[in-house]
């Protein structure tokens, strides 16, 4: 039983429990996601009636905003944002300002008044769901909108039945059918994720292969550079420059090959060249970032990037509004991989080509800053080979 005398073996249960605890923390964001101030646009284009002077659209907007839809934490689930027109709301959806939009059309009051006549025409609402922004959050936004419209339907139905009852009128067949559900809602998916996008999660799925390729590439570079054991500062500088230049070539190869592989596996990539170049930029940024850390602390830095991927992937699948304040402000906002995911969403779901947008700009700055850190490691003290001492004569 000499094996049990080893301190590492004896403390192994504690180590296992500690590892389970640390990695179980990654489960927390996905266990009970609750929306917090999910931004949804509301547009009232209702022109109202002149006789009697009434605007049902204004009443609906007021009722919706006064009704607080709380989540399981008791906080407001939706942040209603009044927008001036349907065109402006669509522009906000394309700019990823809102997860959904509710539009009340111009003839809403007119159609609502017709429900009291023998020739009723049900008022309509349009519900725009911004699928490409985030699959889970847009689904929650759609559910919230349906809940709001159902509440309006019930209230409107009760008011109309009361008005008809006060007049002592009889309902026609058409009126009865229309009053069963006075408002007809039309659901319109914008920036749709389509059927070949892993339910809108393809940008997150594409992160892992690219990230691991960057990590393995840098491990190989580090092992080779350590074997060379450069003592001269000029040699170390040249080695870092070669690593950068070769990394740029590898980035292009990785970007185009990965885009081709993804297309072959079934991922819809509407802009092949733009997607490939963006992935090349992302690869170079991550490659240089990992190289910069390795150049200062060595292979020990690998644990940092493995943990970043392990803890980051579940967060990147969720919208910021579905995370707790801690994970949103202190974890998600500091993840460098989110810029790759955000950029891919714009390319894959929003019909945008490669441009100097926010994700691309940040990735370029990550690459530039990491390059400076990598080159600065040239001036770090080197490990000189030990010299053999001569035996005394």
């Amino acid at each position: 039983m000499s094996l049990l005398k080893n301190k590492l073996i004896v403390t192994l249960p504690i180590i296992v429990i500690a590892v389970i605890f640390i990695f179980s923390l990654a489960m927390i964001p996905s266990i009970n996601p609750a929306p917090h101030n999910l931004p949804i646009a509301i547009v009232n284009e209702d022109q109202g009636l002149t006789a009697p002077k009434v605007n049902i659209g204004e009443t609906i907007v007021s009722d919706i905003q006064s009704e607080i839809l709380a989540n399981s934490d008791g906080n407001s689930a939706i942040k209603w944002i009044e927008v001036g027109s349907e065109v402006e709301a669509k522009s906000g959806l394309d700019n990823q300002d809102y997860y959904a939009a509710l539009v009340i059309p111009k003839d809403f009051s007119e159609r609502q008044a017709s429900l009291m006549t023998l020739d009723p025409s049900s008022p309509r609402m349009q519900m725009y769901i911004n699928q490409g922004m985030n699959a889970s959050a847009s689904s929650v936004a759609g559910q919230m909108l349906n809940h709001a419209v159902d509440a309006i339907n019930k209230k409107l139905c009760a008011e109309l039945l009361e008005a008809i009852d006060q007049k002592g009128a009889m309902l026609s067949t058409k009126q009865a059918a229309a009053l069963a559900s006075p408002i007809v809602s039309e659901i319109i998916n914008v920036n749709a994720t389509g059927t070949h996008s892993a339910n809108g999660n393809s940008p997150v799925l594409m992160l892992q292969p690219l990230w691991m390729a960057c990590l393995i590439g840098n491990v190989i570079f580090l092992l080779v550079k350590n074997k060379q054991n450069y003592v001269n500062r000029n040699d170390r500088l040249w080695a870092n420059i070669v690593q950068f230049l070769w990394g740029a070539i590898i980035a292009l190869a990785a970007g185009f090959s990965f885009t081709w592989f993804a297309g072959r596996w079934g991922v819809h990539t509407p802009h092949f060249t733009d997607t490939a170049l963006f992935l090349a930029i992302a690869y170079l940024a991550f490659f240089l970032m990992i190289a910069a850390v390795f150049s200062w602390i060595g292979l020990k830095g690998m644990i940092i990037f493995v943990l970043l991927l392990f803890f980051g992937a579940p967060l990147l699948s969720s919208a910021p509004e579905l995370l707790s304040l801690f994970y949103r402000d202190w974890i998600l906002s500091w993840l460098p991989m989110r810029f790759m995911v955000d950029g891919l969403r714009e390319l894959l779901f929003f019909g945008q080509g490669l441009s100097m947008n926010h994700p691309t700009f940040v990735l370029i700055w990550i690459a530039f800053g990491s390059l400076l850190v990598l080159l600065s490691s040239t001036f770090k003290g080197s490990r000189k080979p030990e010299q053999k001492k001569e035996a005394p004569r």
Side-chain angles (χ1 to χ4, degrees), residues 350-373:
F350 287 82
Q352 299 184 16
L354 181 65
S355 62
M356 191 55 69
N357 53 17
H358 181 64
T360 307
F361 181 78
V362 173
L363 286 172
I364 290 175
W365 270 106
I366 289 175
F368 180 72
S370 299
L371 177 61
L372 293 181
V373 175

Side-chain angles (χ1 to χ4, degrees), residues 163-182:
I164 292 173
D165 184 58
Q166 289 177 355
K167 289 183 177 182
M170 297 292 292
L171 288 176
S172 67
T173 305
K174 279 188 175 182
Q175 283 180 304
L179 289 176
S181 182

Side-chain angles (χ1 to χ4, degrees), residues 77-89:
I78 293 180
K79 180 181 179 182
W80 295 103
I81 302 173
E82 282 196 71
V83 179
S85 67
E86 185 175 1
V87 173
E88 187 179 344

Side-chain angles (χ1 to χ4, degrees), residues 98-249:
Y98 323 116
Y99 289 98
L102 179 66
V103 178
I104 304 172
K106 297 178 180 179
D107 59 353
F108 191 90
S109 291
E110 182 182 346
R111 283 177 173 264
Q112 189 269 346
S114 74
L115 296 176
M116 299 289 290
T117 69
L118 296 176
D119 187 23
S121 179
S122 296
R124 294 179 174 272
M125 285 184 180
Q126 285 78 42
M127 294 191 296
Y128 291 93
I129 309 298
N130 198 1
Q131 280 192 333
M133 192 169 174
N134 183 275
S136 55
S138 61
S139 177
V140 171
Q143 294 171 12
M144 295 290 183
L145 281 181
N146 280 319
H147 175 83
V149 172
D150 286 343
I152 296 169
N153 251 328
K154 290 178 182 178
K155 181 180 179 182
L156 186 58
C157 180
E159 291 175 350
L160 290 169
L161 288 174
E162 183 181 355
I164 292 173
D165 184 58
Q166 289 177 355
K167 289 183 177 182
M170 297 292 292
L171 288 176
S172 67
T173 305
K174 279 188 175 182
Q175 283 180 304
L179 289 176
S181 182
I183 301 173
V184 177
S185 57
E186 181 185 3
I187 300 175
I188 304 170
N189 292 322
V190 296
N191 304 311
T193 55
T195 56
H196 293 78
S197 64
N199 294 323
N201 287 318
S202 54
V204 179
L205 293 180
M206 295 174 73
L207 168 66
Q208 183 173 338
L210 196 80
W211 187 265
M212 293 305 297
C214 293
L215 191 58
I216 292 172
N218 273 289
V219 168
I220 294 173
F221 256 107
L222 181 64
L223 293 176
V224 173
K225 288 166 72 175
N226 285 346
K227 189 175 181 180
Q228 297 292 333
N229 196 20
Y230 298 109
V231 177
N232 185 280
R233 183 174 294 173
N234 290 332
D235 291 339
R236 295 201 302 272
L237 176 62
W238 179 242
N240 289 333
I241 292 174
V242 169
Q243 184 171 0
F244 160 63
L245 295 175
W246 194 239
I249 295 173

Side-chain angles (χ1 to χ4, degrees), residues 24-56:
S24 68
L25 296 176
M27 298 168 53
I28 296 176
S30 305
I31 292 174
N32 186 29
H36 298 82
N37 293 320
L38 206 66
I40 298 180
I42 183 168
V43 181
N44 177 32
E45 294 186 332
D46 186 17
Q47 295 180 343
L49 298 175
T50 54
K53 189 173 183 180
V54 64
N55 190 303
I56 304 299

Side-chain angles (χ1 to χ4, degrees), residues 65 69 74 174 176 215 239 269 278:
Q65 291 180 330
L69 296 173
K174 279 188 175 182
L215 191 58
T269 51
F278 178 78

